[in-house]
């Protein structure tokens, strides 16, 4: 949203992990809300608002690293990202990103546990706020699982496969669906969408397609940001500053696609503006022109391209069915339909683009690159060569975020890099 929100800050205080070994709800700072004051039903709305804040912060704080690593944007600025923009991610490069991504996994889990103690079983099973809490927990799991190389088990602290987050997310989304149905709340669509993606990533494309079909095309569920406070980082870095450009990315060759709005920035002298590095052309993303622009967590149009991918993955690929879904998505954005391909290879090529256009700058493409690059046959994908990197290939780039240096130094279960 473009206007600042009156966030319930007590929830943020309550759900912020404290240093050392204190429990989540051991409030230590004098002058803040006493922990005991959160043990009331009146605090539940604020607790869930705090979860939403942390999920939005996670997406916002990690979007720079993810968009650069997945080559959705080109680093044409002055910030020292090390070799991350060229695909070489070191643990010390992602300390802030890692912390932001894992905080909402903790705060949603702990917040749900607290709410469960405040409500009767019947109230809990029918609460729209509880449904939202489980939905946010699922998106916290999805965001981690799609982007890290290994996650950390929340019970043991031991590194484990990133796909463990998909299992946790599936459980959270299933709970959200059950409770949202009882509460008759539209967060149900967000939970179905989140569940569909994780079912797909676990290989159950039949279930994924069925659940994705429950989501209306126009539906969108966002990570809410503000003009003041938690503002959109990419908006600031591409409009207030010229740090990141669409130049030298695959998206630069698709000007005019309504799903990837960008335009050329011009200097006062009429020449094409350059980035903060003083050299690279500034092709300015226009998806987030304002600091308060929200980042989508999921939307109905993503579900259309997910179902299209499911159609291509059938034992006998349904190419016509896939194009019907991709063209339904394009129609929603006012775009002309694609001609139905005569080969499976072309169908996959079109699918790759359609999905990455729909989810551009939403923190999703790094996972798509990882899973598609691992495919053989027509489903295989690689990034194309660009002006700035004519030898670009995913074969020489990191395709996930490693355990951060800070995590390795503070967690005895992680080998120090």
């Amino acid at each position: 949203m473009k206007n600042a929100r009156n966030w319930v800050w007590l929830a943020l205080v309550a759900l912020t992990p404290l240093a050392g070994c204190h429990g989540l709800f051991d409030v230590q700072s004098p002058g803040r809300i006493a922990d005991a004051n959160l043990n009331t039903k009146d605090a539940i709305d604020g607790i869930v608002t705090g979860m939403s804040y942390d999920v939005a912060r996670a997406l916002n704080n990690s979007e720079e690293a993810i968009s650069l690593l997945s080559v959705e944007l080109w680093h044409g600025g002055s910030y020292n990202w090390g070799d991350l923009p060229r695909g070489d991610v070191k643990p010390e490069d992602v300390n802030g990103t890692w912390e932001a991504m894992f905080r909402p996994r903790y705060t949603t889990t702990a917040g749900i546990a607290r709410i469960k103690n405040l409500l009767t079983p019947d109230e809990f099973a029918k609460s729209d706020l509880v449904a939202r809490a489980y939905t946010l927990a699922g998106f916290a799991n999805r965001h981690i699982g799609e982007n890290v190389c290994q996650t950390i088990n929340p019970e043991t602290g031991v590194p484990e496969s990133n796909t463990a987050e998909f299992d946790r997310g599936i459980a959270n989304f299933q709970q959200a669906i059950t409770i949202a149905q009882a509460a008759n709340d539209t967060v149900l669509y967000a939970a179905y969408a989140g569940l569909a993606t994780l079912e797909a990533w676990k290989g159950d494309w039949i279930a994924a397609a069925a659940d994705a079909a429950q989501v209306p095309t126009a539906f969108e569920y966002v990570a809410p940001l503000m003009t003041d406070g938690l503002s959109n980082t990419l908006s600031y870095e591409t409009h207030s500053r010229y740090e990141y450009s669409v130049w030298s990315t695959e998206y630069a060759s698709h000007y005019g696609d309504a799903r990837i709005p960008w335009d050329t920035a011009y200097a006062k002298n009429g020449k094409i503006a350059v980035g903060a590095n003083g050299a690279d052309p500034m092709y300015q993303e226009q998806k987030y022109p304002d600091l308060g622009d929200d980042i989508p967590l999921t939307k109905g149009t993503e579900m259309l391209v997910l179902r299209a991918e499911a159609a291509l993955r059938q034992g006998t690929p349904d190419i016509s069915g896939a194009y019907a879904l991709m063209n339904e998505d394009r129609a929603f954005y006012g775009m002309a339909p694609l001609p139905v391909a005569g080969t499976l290879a072309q169908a996959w090529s079109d699918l790759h683009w359609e999905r990455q256009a729909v989810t551009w700058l939403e923190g999703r493409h790094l996972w798509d690159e990882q899973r598609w690059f691992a495919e053989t046959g027509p489903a295989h994908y690689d990034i194309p060569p660009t002006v700035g990197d004519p030898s670009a290939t995913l074969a020489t780039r990191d395709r996930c975020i490693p355990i951060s240096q800070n995590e390795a130094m503070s967690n005895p279960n992680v080998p120090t890099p």
Side-chain angles (χ1 to χ4, degrees):
M1 296 180 181
K2 294 181 172 61
N3 296 319
R5 293 171 175 75
N6 295 317
W7 287 93
V8 184
W9 292 105
L10 68 88
L12 176 59
V13 173
L15 295 177
T16 300
L18 303 173
C21 298
H22 298 300
L24 175 66
F25 301 112
D26 295 332
V27 177
Q28 303 293 322
S29 301
R32 298 193 176 189
I33 299 296
D35 180 72
N37 289 346
L38 295 177
N39 291 325
T40 170
K41 293 179 181 180
D42 292 337
I44 295 175
D45 196 351
I47 291 171
V48 176
T49 298
M51 298 178 192
S52 178
Y53 180 97
D54 277 349
V55 170
R57 176 178 174 270
L59 211 64
N60 192 46
N61 285 22
S62 59
E63 183 58 40
E64 285 178 275
I66 293 169
S67 62
L68 292 174
L69 185 56
S70 62
V71 204
E72 289 186 305
L73 291 175
W74 176 263
H75 184 222
S78 58
Y79 296 151
N80 181 14
W81 275 101
D83 292 323
L84 184 147
R86 304 297 177 263
D88 182 10
V89 191
K90 296 178 175 61
E92 59 267 28
D93 296 333
V94 292
N95 285 326
T97 297
W98 184 272
E99 182 277 332
M101 292 172 69
F102 276 82
R103 177 178 293 192
R105 187 184 74 169
Y106 181 71
T107 56
T108 54
T109 300
I112 290 170
R114 167 167 287 213
I115 295 170
K116 196 166 190 176
N117 289 329
L118 297 175
L119 299 176
T120 67
D122 185 62
E123 290 172 332
F124 188 87
K126 298 177 181 178
S127 168
D128 61 318
L129 291 173
V130 173
R132 291 176 185 274
Y134 274 113
T135 300
L136 290 166
F139 283 121
N141 297 133
R142 188 196 70 181
H143 188 52
I144 296 170
E146 287 185 342
N147 290 297
V148 302
C149 306
Q150 285 184 295
T151 188
I152 302 296
N153 185 288
E155 302 297 330
T156 66
V158 174
E160 61 184 2
S161 169
N162 66 303
T163 61
E165 294 296 342
F166 298 157
D167 295 326
R168 284 187 274 270
I170 286 171
N172 281 323
F173 284 129
Q174 287 174 334
Q175 283 277 61
I177 288 169
T178 299
I179 297 172
Q181 287 173 331
N184 193 28
D185 193 277
T186 56
V187 76
L188 174 68
Y189 300 133
Y192 266 124
L195 178 61
T197 57
L198 297 189
E199 288 170 332
W201 307 161
K202 293 290 290 184
D204 191 349
W205 285 92
I206 294 176
D211 286 332
Q214 303 299 315
V215 184
T217 299
F219 179 78
E220 186 174 72
Y221 196 68
V222 303
L225 301 176
M226 302 176 283
T227 52
D228 297 314
L230 186 62
S231 59
N232 191 305
T233 298
L234 282 186
S235 175
Y236 177 79
E237 301 298 356
T238 56
H239 289 262
S240 298
R241 294 181 59 85
Y242 286 177
E243 291 293 330
Y244 313 125
S245 175
V246 180
W247 179 79
S248 196
T249 70
E250 184 174 357
Y251 305 88
S253 61
H254 289 269
Y255 182 78
D257 189 316
R259 300 161 298 183
I260 56 162
W262 65 269
D263 216 335
T264 305
Y266 288 91
K268 292 181 180 179
N269 62 9
K271 295 182 178 180
I272 295 177
V274 295
N277 65 0
D280 296 336
M282 184 60 194
Y283 292 179
Q284 189 178 59
E285 66 82 17
Q286 296 293 336
K287 184 166 183 170
Y288 305 121
D290 298 323
L291 292 175
D293 285 335
D294 303 327
I295 302 174
L297 281 164
T298 192
K299 50 199 180 185
T301 50
E302 182 199 350
M303 295 299 100
L304 290 173
V305 292
L306 189 77
R307 291 165 61 194
E309 184 168 350
L312 293 183
R313 290 184 179 276
Q314 292 180 13
T316 300
D318 182 4
I319 295 178
S320 295
Y323 275 89
L325 292 161
M326 288 190 284
N327 285 331
E328 185 177 345
D329 165 77
R330 293 172 67 88
F332 179 81
Y333 291 101
M335 299 174 64
L338 294 170
V340 177
T343 67
L344 185 58
Q346 183 59 51
W348 269 105
S349 180
D350 287 341
L351 185 280
H352 288 152
W353 172 252
E354 292 301 299
R355 176 169 172 82
Q356 67 189 84
V358 168
T359 61
W360 186 54
L361 300 184
E362 296 174 7
R364 310 297 303 285
H365 190 47
L366 188 62
W367 171 248
D368 286 338
E369 287 183 340
Q370 182 182 160
R371 66 190 184 88
W372 286 337
F373 185 75
E375 295 276 1
T376 57
H380 179 75
Y381 166 86
D382 200 354
I383 56 175
T386 64
V387 178
D389 189 1
S391 61
T393 173
L394 291 175
T396 59
R397 298 179 65 92
D398 291 330
R399 297 181 293 279
C400 56
I401 294 171
I403 296 173
S404 72
Q405 182 183 59
N406 285 351
E407 178 72 28
M409 293 176 65
S410 62
N411 184 343
N413 298 294
V414 180
T416 304

